[in-house]
Each structure stands twice: as structure tokens, then as C-alpha cells.
Amino acid sequence: MAYRVTLIPGDGIGPEVSEAARRVIDATGVPIEWEVREAGMTALESQGDLLPAATLESLKRNRLGLKGPMTTPIGSGFRSVNVGLRQELGLYANLRPGKSLRGVQSAFHDIDLVVIRENLEGMYTGIEFDTGTTAAAEVIDAINERSKRQIDGSAAISIKLITPAESRRIVEYAFEYARANGRKLVTAVHKANIMKFTDGLFLREAQAVAERYPDIAFNDRIVDNMCMQLMQKPREYDVLVMPNLYGDIVSDLVAGMIGGLGVAPSGNIGPETAVFEAIHGSAPSHAGKNEANPTAMILSGALMLRHMGERAAAEQVEDAVAEVIAAGKEVTYDLRADRDPSKAATTTGMTDAIIATMAS
Ligand code: NAD
């Protein structure tokens, strides 16, 4: 029976790179019925809603989504599609593998790391009180009554939230991912030396979860030291799991180590539904020119195949992408040392080369 996957092409270069990913995934022979749905600017223009109910309903029903990048509308009052999806579908884990591909320009080589970021709490609860507001003054008064350290009345306040259940869930996800993907070590990343209650709780829960996975090694690192060690000895690390803000930063650090936006895939995983996407944006200046790099979107598709349990198909895609990039001929402008568009492959040209490599 065919899998059903909700495909959200997005806008800007989104439709071009999404189509590339769809073609490559179809070429694996894994039977997929694609249900195309809108979100973002295209949905706003045609349906007056950035995240239409029909799109959410399709994702909930199919439990799998592949999403192209979307332009964020300018102006207040729009909720972010990504935040909306995370909240509506409970996508608590952000999965960001960072694996070096030979032929991609980077100061680092042979990187093979996986960053798992908690997506729903930490510093990004969205619970904030602006400077000078009555609500901020009330919160400050309540804190000052209970705290030795007094907060200045002009402060803006953001709430950092760490719960035992969510900490357990994200660390369990990291260990399950490690087990399912033959990984050997999970590192919990935190700042528990300073934030003793919030990050201290995260670390204690991580240590307790680790005891239930004796087959996987475990250690922990303070986030600033982690960043330095990633620069100095990245090959000593494997799967990194951490609260939201640290994950946001460290996952981009690792993406930079493997060559940046054009090649970095991601997944947002919930208890029922998972949505996969490139980490880059809609790159409006390249839209409609058939010149965008489809790699990140194709590798996001491979990540989806892996999540579906279609490991052989995922490896077939990843190997073909690696081979085409290493050969360096049929690659888009951004993967060329000279960045010369006149000598570069088009989006469809690179996609054709990947599909031909898979068949060979
Ligand atoms: P961007 O990722 O779109 O572009 C940054 C730079 O990288 C640009 O020079 C761009 O041309 C280049 N680039 C990105 N992807 C590329 C690709 N596949 N091939 C070749 N070159 C590529 O970031 P931005 O310019 O800051 O954002 C543009 C729009 O995308 C904004 O509206 C932003 O909010 C949105 N955005 C959306 C997502 C998402 O939907 N997940 C993520 C990031 C940004």
C-alpha cells in the first residue's frame, strides 16, 4: 500500500526544490501518494490564511509532511507558519543531522553529527512581557517579593520554561534515534552550572533517561564549552540533545560546519506527525530561475524516508547526492568554487543527475 505524504511546496524557490525532492523520492520506488496542500504566502493569497485548516487536516491524517520554504509576510499580526505547525501538531523534536559531503566548500571535513533540539519550551515559550507594560510591572513586583535579587521596573521579561516531562521526552527521542541509527553516544548540552533549576532539571532528567539505555554512551557538556569543542574536536561527538535556544544556535553552527544552508536538512517530529524541510528560506532572488540548490530539500526527503523506516531508499538518495556533489560537475552555482552560474547545473539538471546516479 502506498504511503500518503502531504507536500507543501511553499513559495520563492520552494516549488522548484520541492519538485526536485518529490522526483528523487519517487525514483527510489517507495510508493508515495503526494497530497499537495498550501501554506504560507501562497495560502494567504488564495485562501486568506497562512495555515489553512485543510493543510493541517491533511498533515494530521497523513502523519507525514514534506514542506518547502516560505517567505515570512512582513507586518505584525501574522503568526509564523513554522510556530503554528509546531504547536498544532506538537512537533516537539527538531532533528538536524550535519554530515559533511565531499565537494562542498567548508573549513571542516568528515563531520557526522546529529543535533536534536527541544522545540516547544525552553526560552521559546512566547511568554513575554514588554518593557513599561502593566503586565511586566505586575510580574516584576511578584518576583521582587520572592527574590533577593531585585529586578529593575523597566525590564522586559521572557519566561524560560523547562518541564520534567518534556525534558524526558526529548532525551528519550535522542536515545531512540541513536539506537535506531546505529549511533554510539548521546551528549546532553546545557548551562546547568548557572541555570541550576531549569537546566539543572533538564540535566537530571537526561541522566535518568540515559540509565535506561546502557547500550548507548552518555555524557554532558556546558553549551559554551560544547561550541568550542565542536570547533576543536567535532569527531568526539555524535548525537547532541539540548533545550530550545541552545539547539537553535548549535544546529546552525553545525550546519555551517558542513557547508551551510544549501545542504542542511531537518525534521520536526511529533508523537503522531512529522514534517521535514530544508533549513534555508525561500531565497526570493533565485525564485523561478531554475538555479536553486535542491540538495537540502532532497536530503530532507531522505530524512523522511529514514523516519518511515525506508532506510535502504534513504541511503540510496543520500549516496547519490554525495556522489553527484563529489563529482562536482552537475551541481548548482553555490556548490561551485567559482560560483559561476554560467558553468553551473540548473536545479532540474542537478536533480536529473542525482536520479541517473541512483539508477546506475
Ligand atoms: P534564505 O535562506 O532564503 O537565503 C539566504 C541566502 O542563501 C541567500 O543568499 C539565498 O539566495 C541563499 N540560498 C538559500 N537557499 C538556497 C538554495 N537552496 N540554493 C541556492 N542559494 C540559496 O534566507 P533569507 O533571505 O533570510 O530569507 C528569505 C525568506 O525566507 C524570508 O521571508 C524568511 O523569513 C524566509 N525563511 C523561511 C524559512 C522556512 O520556511 N523554513 C526558513 C528561513 C527563512
Side-chain angles (χ1 to χ4, degrees):
M1 212 180 74
Y3 297 96
R4 288 177 78 89
V5 175
T6 303
L7 180 70
I8 305 173
D11 58 78
I13 60 169
E16 296 161 72
V17 292
S18 302
E19 181 56 19
R22 179 198 339 215
R23 286 181 56 216
V24 171
I25 294 169
D26 283 344
T28 64
V30 173
I32 293 180
E33 274 178 38
W34 300 94
E35 205 169 278
V36 179
R37 290 288 181 272
E38 287 182 329
M41 290 299 266
T42 49
L44 186 68
E45 278 156 23
S46 68
Q47 305 177 48
D49 190 352
L50 278 174
L51 186 51
T55 303
L56 266 179
E57 187 272 327
S58 167
L59 284 165
K60 282 183 183 160
R61 183 163 28 79
N62 295 331
R63 297 174 167 215
L64 282 172
L66 186 62
K67 172 181 162 291
M70 292 165 191
T71 305
T72 309
I74 310 287
S76 58
F78 293 113
R79 74 171 178 162
S80 147
V81 173
N82 285 334
V83 173
L85 282 175
R86 258 175 234 165
Q87 287 170 351
E88 296 279 351
L89 302 172
L91 306 176
Y92 66 93
N94 182 233
L95 173 64
R96 293 270 296 260
K99 192 171 190 318
S100 295
L101 293 166
R102 201 158 53 81
V104 175
Q105 319 288 318
S106 170
F108 293 84
H109 305 283
D110 303 324
I111 300 301
D112 189 4
L113 293 161
V114 178
V115 180
I116 295 174
R117 160 189 171 192
E118 197 288 319
N119 239 350
L120 300 176
E121 53 178 38
M123 275 310 289
Y124 293 180
T125 55
I127 305 172
E128 296 197 292
F129 302 94
D130 204 357
T131 178
T133 58
T134 310
E138 288 169 1
V139 172
I140 290 167
D141 283 348
I143 293 170
N144 283 346
E145 274 173 29
R146 291 162 178 80
S147 165
K148 261 191 270 166
R149 161 101 194 260
Q150 295 293 288
I151 301 175
D152 187 89
S154 66
I157 309 266
S158 297
I159 301 294
K160 168 164 169 156
L161 197 77
I162 300 275
T163 62
E166 195 55 41
S167 301
R168 267 197 301 279
R169 183 161 72 152
I170 193 70
V171 179
E172 276 165 6
Y173 178 80
F175 275 97
E176 290 295 331
Y177 180 91
R179 221 177 231 176
N181 292 281
R183 298 279 178 164
K184 305 278 181 268
L185 169 69
V186 171
T187 303
V189 182
H190 60 87
K191 190 78 185 175
N193 55 330
I194 304 294
M195 276 172 274
K196 295 187 191 306
F197 295 149
T198 47
D199 284 18
L201 172 59
F202 175 79
L203 178 58
R204 281 199 307 282
E205 292 295 340
Q207 288 162 336
V209 171
E211 283 180 17
R212 288 193 269 122
Y213 293 85
D215 50 321
I216 312 275
F218 173 77
N219 59 15
D220 71 275
R221 293 287 180 269
I222 293 169
V223 61
D224 38 350
N225 180 250
M226 182 79 258
C227 291
M228 189 170 66
Q229 294 209 24
L230 285 176
M231 295 298 104
Q232 292 181 323
K233 38 189 174 182
R235 280 170 284 281
E236 286 188 12
Y237 294 92
D238 192 350
V239 175
L240 314 175
V241 61
M242 61 201 86
N244 211 334
L245 170 65
Y246 312 142
D248 197 2
I249 297 167
V250 173
S251 59
D252 261 31
L253 182 83
V254 170
M257 292 166 77
I258 60 152
L261 290 174
V263 293
S266 80
N268 290 287
I269 321 290
E272 270 122 34
T273 307
V275 181
F276 297 82
E277 63 180 335
I279 68 161
H280 62 68
S282 57
S285 66
H286 299 289
K289 296 180 180 164
N290 196 18
E291 64 188 20
N293 183 355
T295 303
M297 199 65 198
I298 292 171
L299 292 180
S300 301
L303 211 53
M304 182 179 80
L305 288 168
R306 209 171 270 281
H307 179 82
M308 290 154 68
E310 297 287 351
R311 180 182 293 264
E315 280 169 10
Q316 191 191 8
V317 172
E318 287 160 356
D319 290 350
V321 167
E323 206 174 306
V324 167
I325 292 178
K329 285 201 180 105
E330 296 294 325
V331 295
T332 48
Y333 79 96
D334 57 309
L335 291 172
R336 293 180 57 87
D338 60 8
R339 293 182 79 88
D340 183 346
S342 70
K343 295 186 190 141
T346 59
T347 308
T348 43
M350 184 170 176
T351 308
D352 291 342
I354 292 166
I355 293 171
T357 305
M358 286 163 66
S360 66

